[in-house]
Amino acid sequence: MAKIETANFLQDLDRVATFRAEIANGLDSIVGTLTLAESQAKTNSGQLGLNREIEDLAKASNNLRKGVFRLLVLGDMKRGKSTFLNALIGEKLLPSDVNPCTALLTVLRYGSEKKVTIYFNDGTEPETVDFKQFKRNYTIDPAEAKILEREKKQAFPTVDYAVVEYPLPLLEKGIEIVDSPGLNDTEARNELSLGYVNNCHAILFVLRASQPCTLGERRYLENYIKGRGLTVFFLINAWDQVRESLIDPEDEEELEEAEYKLRRVFQANLAEYCQIEGEDIYDERVFEISSLNALRRRIKEPSGSLEGTGFPEFMAALNTYLTKERGVSELRQSKTLARQAEHHVREAIARRIPLLGEDADRLKQRIASVEPEFQKLTEIRDKFQGEILSLRDQKATAIADSFRQYLLNLDKTFESDFLHYQPNLNFLDFINAGKRQEFEDALMQAFEQYINDKLAEWSRQTEPEMNTAFLQLSRSAAQYGADYNQVTNKITEKLTGQKVQPLSTSAGEDSSPAWAKWAMGLFSLARGNLAGVAMAGAGFDWKSILLNYFTVIGISGIIVSVFPAAALMGPVGLALLGLGVGLVQADGARKEVVKAAKKELVKHLPHVAQEQWQTVYNAVKECFDVYEREVSDRMNDDIQSRQAELDNLIEQKETHEINRSAELERLQTLEEEVVAESRHIETLYEGFIKAVS
């Protein structure tokens, strides 16, 4: 297995940061050239309608300059997440003592000065604290965490998250780390972490060798990770303690057998999350590490070897993924945008130059002759828009219907399903007034977990249908784009009297118009949509939209709320009492509780299913609406810029005489500069590919 030490990892990250900055400079150069050209055009032959290109290039440059590789660290309490992070960054920064648990979602990013900022969700102004205050005030004891979990409370309900800024080399080279609270904090906190899941490059899921794949960990993976196209690195921490747990730590045969059994357990549970298009990449995603040993070595000798801790192997895999896969994808989009701007400029200039010698009247006649073609462009826009909206209504209805039917069918398998969630029942706890609340809380928590798991299962079943829908739209965008190109070529030919010559493109480069490239997913200007394949290329993340919708509305909470403890426990209590004290055996009690809970479920499900139908419909509809708005805006911009390009030329000709030779020289110079700047970005991109190969 490949290995890499910390210094090499930092060098590779630095290389990515350097290329990011250089390509951002190249994009800025094109922006400056186009902005100046459009300003000068006002007193010459008129603007070429390059506002969309200027806006997109500026946004892409800004994204590159702010660009970081965001890593989300997930793991249950007491898995050694903070120790792992401290070892990764090379300093004992986060609380990692024996007792405290990190109680806030914490973002670690580079800052020239050490500081911690606490952000609140109740309108309170952010609070800046020092590290001692942060460790003292925002960590909790595991026992307290368990109580909060049982009571479904958050440790700090008014706190949104904390940002830790620190002048560390790893952070300075473009790594941003999001450290989440334990998986078993609360379902609400899990949903908060899930918001970051969809806005990160990779997930680092920390497990512990001494507690292989607990029920809580398997639940989280099943509900929030499975089938979402996310890149997950599994870190099995404290692997060195396998030896320490043996009766005879020096017995190599016993150690080999213990490690073999552990590896089989982890592989059985994690293998399905380590597949890409049917290819097994388990060895590239699962690592046995010893964080405490690595941390001790880094504190003692920051640049020393971490051989034997599992970190060199893990960092090699992470480095390959971030620099070769994510880095290449990120910079490829910038190259695409630069070429796109180049093509627009060359096409606009090719239309403009033949018209410079025309008088205003003759020019108006030519423009009038292409009005039917502009109408065709509008018709293409309307057809594509109509297809999106039609598919939107179809899918929103179908998926909302499937949700309603899914809920209504829960009663068919409830008795067998809920038995797996039900806590250990003790009849004496129920009849004991002092323990009844604890009994009720445990049962309601089990019910909430059941509902969350079922909703996650439905979500996984729904995702393929959404993926297929947006893949269909991507293909339609390609076809509409080809039709659109034919019409725009016809406009150019009628205006100039010259046959349109196709512009030279790189091998394999798509020649679709810019709006179609966005709709096909060939580039995206969103800074989110970083994790996994949100769909088969549509330039935005519909999963994040759905997630935000469900999280804000809290659909699982609404469903659980219609089954309050009092309503549920009434029938359950009667069922238990009906057995009689002498007859309450564990198995009988469990079955009676399940039957009573099912009765309540059946009573309320039709109302809940109908009421939440609209919620699901609106969430799916919003995904398509966001897509349609962006596509329509981009198509409108393109049509309007083409019309404005001609209107601007007429306006200039009617107000003053254009110096044809000077304007010809200006336009040719503009084209040469943009082509040179675009090719410079392409050269940088190719240089990056060679550097990371």
Side-chain angles (χ1 to χ4, degrees), residues 92-95 113-116 129-137 163-167:
K92 194 173 183 298
L93 177 61
L94 295 173
E113 297 179 0
K114 303 176 183 179
K115 68 175 183 178
V116 181
V129 299
D130 60 33
F131 279 85
K132 287 184 179 179
Q133 289 176 302
F134 177 59
K135 292 181 180 180
R136 182 175 64 247
N137 297 340
V163 173
V164 174
E165 295 180 59
Y166 212 83

Side-chain angles (χ1 to χ4, degrees), residues 364-415:
K364 287 179 180 178
Q365 291 176 5
R366 285 183 180 269
I367 292 175
S369 73
V370 297
E371 285 184 7
E373 279 69 31
F374 273 105
Q375 182 59 38
K376 288 180 181 178
L377 295 182
T378 302
E379 290 171 1
I380 292 173
R381 179 204 64 197
D382 292 345
K383 285 181 181 178
F384 191 23
Q385 182 186 56
E387 182 175 329
I388 297 170
L389 297 180
S390 175
L391 191 60
R392 175 201 69 184
D393 294 341
Q394 176 188 334
K395 291 301 177 185
T397 299
I399 291 173
D401 285 347
S402 78
F403 178 76
R404 177 170 56 195
Q405 194 57 49
Y406 183 85
L407 286 186
L408 292 175
N409 288 338
L410 287 181
D411 68 294
K412 296 179 180 178
T413 59
F414 181 79
E415 291 189 39

Side-chain angles (χ1 to χ4, degrees), residues 450-465:
Y450 164 79
I451 290 295
N452 273 285
D453 288 358
K454 285 300 180 181
L455 289 180
E457 180 181 68
W458 171 80
S459 177
R460 288 194 302 274
Q461 294 173 3
T462 301
E463 285 184 9
E465 187 169 358

Side-chain angles (χ1 to χ4, degrees), residues 178-190:
V178 181
D179 182 22
S180 69
L183 303 182
N184 57 357
D185 186 7
T186 63
E187 294 293 340
R189 185 63 74 179
N190 279 343

Side-chain angles (χ1 to χ4, degrees), residues 666-680:
R666 186 186 74 84
L667 292 172
Q668 289 173 338
T669 300
L670 169 62
E671 181 173 348
E672 291 169 2
E673 289 178 354
V674 172
V675 169
E677 290 161 348
S678 174
R679 300 302 157 82
H680 174 60

